[in-house]
Amino acid sequence: IHRGYGRGEHIYSTELGIVTGNDHNLERENYFYLSTETLPNSRPVFYCQTRGNRPFLSTLTDCGISRAPLQTLGFWLAAPTCNASPLYHLTKDTDQDYFYTTSANERDHAVGLGYVDQGIVGYIWLP
């Protein structure tokens, strides 16, 4: 999964064109990895957009907002197994930016910038 930023929002996708298009700039290529197949205790990860077209990740088939996902990205784990690392989820300004990080230090720094820590959303693999 690649990570980009622009227009006051973070964006995550398997496709570089999505991460670098629409006024977004690439922050990290291959930021983390998802499984391409279902594993025990795994959850599907969907690329979704809010009604205001803000990108976010979800494990719900309706993105949790009664909208179909735009893309299935892969699978993350619900528990820390298979050498998987935690993926922290944060939001800012009433869900106008959905931020995911693999670093507890980056999470803590983001909280200092006004992000709200939503906890560990899943477990992923680092490069």
Side-chain angles (χ1 to χ4, degrees), residues 7-86:
R7 298 184 329 194
E9 65 189 13
H10 288 84
I11 190 166
Y12 305 81
S13 180
T14 55
E15 297 178 33
L16 279 172
I18 290 176
V19 173
T20 59
N22 297 320
D23 299 324
H24 290 93
N25 295 306
L26 180 66
E27 279 190 314
R28 293 199 185 144
E29 189 171 346
N30 299 319
Y31 181 55
F32 64 84
Y33 295 102
L34 300 173
S35 175
T36 57
E37 57 190 55
T38 304
L39 299 171
N41 206 21
S42 67
R43 305 289 183 268
V45 180
F46 303 110
Y47 175 79
C48 300
Q49 285 185 335
T50 66
R51 296 192 194 295
N53 294 322
R54 295 285 197 167
F56 69 101
L57 305 178
S58 179
T59 59
L60 302 173
T61 56
D62 72 348
C63 297
I65 57 171
S66 300
R67 292 188 87 178
L70 299 176
Q71 182 182 21
T72 301
L73 301 176
F75 299 86
W76 60 38
L77 298 173
T81 57
C82 301
N83 295 318
S85 298

